[in-house]
Amino acid sequence: MPIRQWKLARRSLPYGERTLVMGVLNVTPDSFSDGGKFYSPESAVEHAQEMIAAGADIIDIGGESTRPGSAFVSEAEELQRVIPVIKQLATETSIPISVDTTKSSVARAALEAGAEIVNDISALRFDPAIADEVAKAGAGLVLMHSRGTPKTMQQLPPVADIMGDVISGLRESIAVAEQRGVSQENIAIDPGIGFGKTAAQNVELIAHLDQLAREFTDFPILIGTSRKSFLGKLLDNAPADQRLNGTIASIAASVMKGAHIVRVHDVKAAVEATKVADAVVRISKLKMP
Ligand code: 9MG
């Protein structure tokens, strides 16, 4: 696989050589997968350090829950949750920090505090001015496909052609980002597993990730399957804390289908899984005619 560079605020991250692991750090009181365990800034920073020791390449810090049905939090509340953690982590670590937000004001403050990536689950639909902040900072931008809002997304009628919807939605978001000055080399794309899709459509998106990779050859592909409810559905309604094996299987499948970055809660397990999947991908590519 060719090695390419994803441009961030103060460095470039090589991708394509091995799968990069993004560790999830939720600083919300109600995070669906970790029960809001890392809510205080001290415990959040400690947990980030554990993920870095386990091999995380990026830490993604979020102060607004995106679980299905969750409501927006105020800008003031979100700032209060994420900024102290970003500041502290930026002084203690050298790996890139990502902020998971849909608000341009939070993106700006986070980039000033030391973040290098903005992870926008609305792909600029909620606040296109996020692109202005990213462009000014020369930061990385994750454009994730979603439908509706976290509050409404699971009530929406399913679309007939989910692949088509993801491809056209991401194309529109890339165009908005570029019109506002974000360079193509700063953008990563994400199919948005679990955001306004049925369980079957989530599986379909993983199965057809290679099609997404062919449509968007110049962009790193990020995917987040970790502990999500479609895994619970496949695993006899297993609760979030019983979905590790399913998560690992979905990561291996995603890597085989072309994912460059995986967003996960369980970093050590994901690092080990991606090492094995990467070795298989490398051999498969060498043997291709
Ligand atoms: C914040 N968040 C929750 N799930 C996500 C996913 O699948 N991708 C990205 N980029 N962010 C996510």
Side-chain angles (χ1 to χ4, degrees):
M1 244 203 250
I3 301 169
R4 286 168 291 171
Q5 304 284 331
W6 182 23
K7 273 195 76 187
L8 313 182
R10 282 179 293 285
R11 75 190 90 198
S12 291
L13 262 190
Y15 71 93
E17 184 180 28
R18 64 173 180 84
T19 306
L20 302 174
V21 174
M22 173 186 262
V24 176
L25 188 62
N26 288 316
V27 274
T28 57
D30 64 337
S31 167
F32 82 114
S33 293
D34 50 35
K37 270 191 298 206
F38 310 113
Y39 190 42
S40 80
E42 297 73 28
S43 54
V45 170
E46 201 179 306
H47 182 55
Q49 291 290 16
E50 285 163 8
M51 290 195 284
I52 294 167
D57 296 289
I58 304 166
I59 299 293
D60 186 40
I61 303 176
E64 176 170 71
S65 175
T66 51
R67 70 191 276 197
S70 59
F72 284 106
V73 300
S74 72
E75 173 193 322
E77 178 69 34
E78 199 179 332
L79 286 168
Q80 198 195 322
R81 290 178 186 176
V82 298
I83 299 303
V85 180
I86 293 172
K87 278 192 178 150
Q88 182 67 31
L89 208 54
T91 61
E92 286 184 16
T93 69
S94 61
I95 73 165
I97 297 170
S98 160
V99 63
D100 153 23
T101 189
T102 56
K103 298 184 184 75
S104 56
S105 53
V106 176
R108 184 189 323 126
L111 293 168
E112 282 168 7
E116 292 193 66
I117 300 166
V118 179
N119 174 23
D120 179 2
I121 57 116
S122 81
L124 305 176
R125 285 188 302 115
F126 298 171
D127 185 354
I130 280 197
D132 305 344
E133 301 304 332
V134 167
K136 256 190 276 165
L141 175 62
V142 180
L143 294 173
M144 194 203 81
H145 176 272
S146 55
R147 301 175 58 236
T149 67
K151 198 169 174 62
T152 63
M153 62 193 181
Q154 291 316 113
Q155 271 87 60
L156 294 174
V159 290
D161 171 15
I162 193 61
M163 235 16 236
D165 201 67
V166 167
I167 290 168
S168 61
L170 288 174
R171 280 215 182 102
E172 269 171 43
S173 297
I174 290 168
V176 173
E178 291 185 341
Q179 276 152 20
R180 287 178 173 259
V182 181
S183 300
Q184 180 218 283
E185 56 201 345
N186 292 70
I187 299 172
I189 56 155
D190 184 329
I193 297 294
F195 285 79
K197 287 105 183 169
T198 65
Q201 287 176 333
N202 290 315
V203 176
E204 183 186 338
L205 284 169
I206 297 172
H208 295 160
L209 207 61
D210 51 346
Q211 188 187 336
L212 203 67
R214 283 193 298 276
E215 294 280 345
F216 297 96
T217 43
D218 295 327
F219 299 87
I221 297 182
L222 193 154
I223 192 163
T225 58
S226 187
R227 302 182 187 174
K228 286 193 175 164
S229 66
F230 80 102
L231 297 170
K233 292 220 171 86
L234 288 169
L235 299 171
D236 299 328
N237 294 320
D241 64 356
Q242 301 293 311
R243 296 175 190 160
L244 176 59
N245 298 342
T247 297
I248 294 304
S250 67
I251 286 174
S254 301
V255 172
M256 295 300 297
K257 288 287 180 178
H260 300 106
I261 308 164
V262 292
R263 183 180 180 277
V264 297
H265 299 86
D266 303 284
V267 169
K268 184 172 188 288
V271 166
E272 291 176 358
T274 53
K275 274 186 185 159
V276 175
D278 285 345
V280 176
V281 168
R282 215 168 293 127
I283 299 244
S284 323
K285 295 255 143 84
L286 286 176
K287 290 210 169 131
M288 263 170 35

